[in-house]
């Protein structure tokens, strides 16, 4: 999950980071091509590693050149291209996640502050609402999130996706983006993802014991493919193959979502 981990690193910077720091990293090209990261403007400071003591230095424009002042060696010029900022684009990220998980009731703008609602997954035990908040590292992060959640209709399950930190917010569970998503390093598309229902411990059956309406039809398809060696190793690819079989077998029915299929697939593989 190198591309997803890199995206988390850029998001966790908090402010605009230098694109020169990340440009040669594996997966960076895909992040910019997909619009998850945008190179824009100039950074306001750099880390000086030219002298004996590493320190932050403000970027200045002097004598027709960009650079910074180091107390030990004086003015250090820097090429303008090395000062371009790498800025995460949360609205694109939220849209990509919502599409990957086939969420309902998505929101294209923040709920409040830095908190975004990705969307809602329907489960037999009630709605699972997914949110994104860049970081859960400080009390300020938690307060911003709590303020946003008070503006939302409370659902039985709430999951906060973040790029850094794991502070506990009552009534929610959290997960780091690179733990639940895999991004293609070339295109930046979501190519693999975990079952978010399992993370928040949504039961496969309702409290009344009524099984998921898709279970009786999905399980034979999954077991058949596992038994005859047709099953693909990747959960995303195998999930799509199962969906194709389901739609051919039951053309007049609404098919299950890909996350639902993957949850049954994970269960059939023994939780792998």
């Amino acid at each position: 999950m190198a591309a997803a981990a890199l995206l988390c690193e850029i998001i966790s910077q908090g402010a605009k980071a230098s694109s020169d720091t990340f440009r040669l990293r594996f997966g960076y090209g895909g992040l910019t091509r997909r619009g998850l990261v945008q190179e824009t403007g100039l950074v306001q400071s750099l880390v000086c590693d030219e002298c004996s003591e590493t320190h932050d230095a403000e970027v200045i424009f002097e004598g027709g050149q960009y650079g910074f002042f180091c107390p030990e060696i004086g003015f250090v010029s820097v090429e303008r291209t090395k000062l371009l900022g790498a800025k995460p684009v949360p609205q694109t990220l939220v849209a990509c996640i919502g599409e990957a998980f086939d969420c309902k009731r998505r929101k294209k703008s923040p709920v409040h502050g830095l908190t975004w609602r990705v969307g809602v997954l329907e489960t037999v035990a009630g709605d699972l609402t997914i949110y994104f908040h860049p970081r859960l590292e400080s009390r300020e992060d938690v307060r911003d999130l709590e303020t946003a959640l008070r503006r939302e209709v409370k659902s039985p399950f709430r999951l906060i996706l973040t790029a850094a930190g794991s502070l506990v917010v009552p009534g929610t569970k959290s997960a780091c983006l690179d733990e639940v998503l895999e991004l293609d390093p070339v295109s930046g598309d979501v190519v693999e993802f975990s079952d978010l229902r399992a993370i928040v411990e949504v039961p496969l059956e309702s409290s009344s014991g009524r099984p998921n309406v898709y279970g009786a039809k999905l399980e034979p398809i999954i077991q058949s493919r596992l038994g005859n060696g047709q099953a693909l190793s990747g959960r995303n690819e195998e999930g799509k193959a199962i969906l194709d079989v389901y739609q051919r077998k039951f053309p007049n029915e609404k098919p299950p979502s890909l996350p639902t299929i993957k949850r049954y697939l994970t269960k059939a593989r023994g939780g792998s």
Side-chain angles (χ1 to χ4, degrees), residues 64-218:
Q65 291 182 308
Y66 285 99
F68 58 88
F69 180 77
C70 173
E72 184 175 317
I73 61 177
F75 181 76
V76 179
S77 64
V78 180
E79 293 181 18
R80 189 180 186 280
T81 55
K82 293 184 178 295
L83 298 175
L84 285 175
K87 181 181 179 181
V89 186
Q91 56 266 43
T92 302
L93 173 62
V94 168
C96 287
I97 298 172
E99 181 180 350
F101 288 99
D102 194 22
C103 291
K104 313 301 181 185
R105 302 201 292 279
R106 306 178 198 176
K107 197 173 190 311
K108 296 182 179 180
S109 59
V111 174
H112 168 79
L114 299 176
T115 304
W116 297 70
R117 185 207 311 147
V118 176
V120 176
L121 295 180
E122 297 176 350
T123 82
V124 294
D127 286 346
L128 161 58
T129 307
I130 305 163
Y131 296 92
F132 168 71
H133 194 283
R135 297 169 303 281
L136 288 177
E137 296 181 308
S138 68
R139 282 303 308 168
E140 289 74 17
D141 295 331
V142 172
R143 280 195 292 269
D144 181 77
L145 177 58
E146 289 177 330
T147 299
L149 294 180
R150 284 196 292 269
R151 302 181 180 205
E152 292 280 280
V153 176
K154 188 173 182 180
S155 59
F157 304 95
R158 283 174 164 178
L159 177 64
I160 315 301
L161 299 179
T162 187
S166 57
L167 290 180
V168 176
V169 179
T172 74
K173 288 185 178 294
S174 66
C176 192
L177 285 171
D178 63 354
E179 295 174 349
V180 301
L181 291 177
E182 182 175 345
L183 303 174
D184 185 280
V186 176
S187 67
D189 292 333
V190 177
V191 294
E192 183 70 73
F193 50 85
S194 301
D195 187 350
L196 301 187
R197 294 175 178 86
I199 295 175
V200 298
E201 300 176 349
V202 175
L204 279 173
E205 295 185 357
S206 66
S207 58
S208 64
R210 181 176 177 267
N212 185 293
V213 293
Y214 295 115
K217 296 175 181 177
L218 278 174

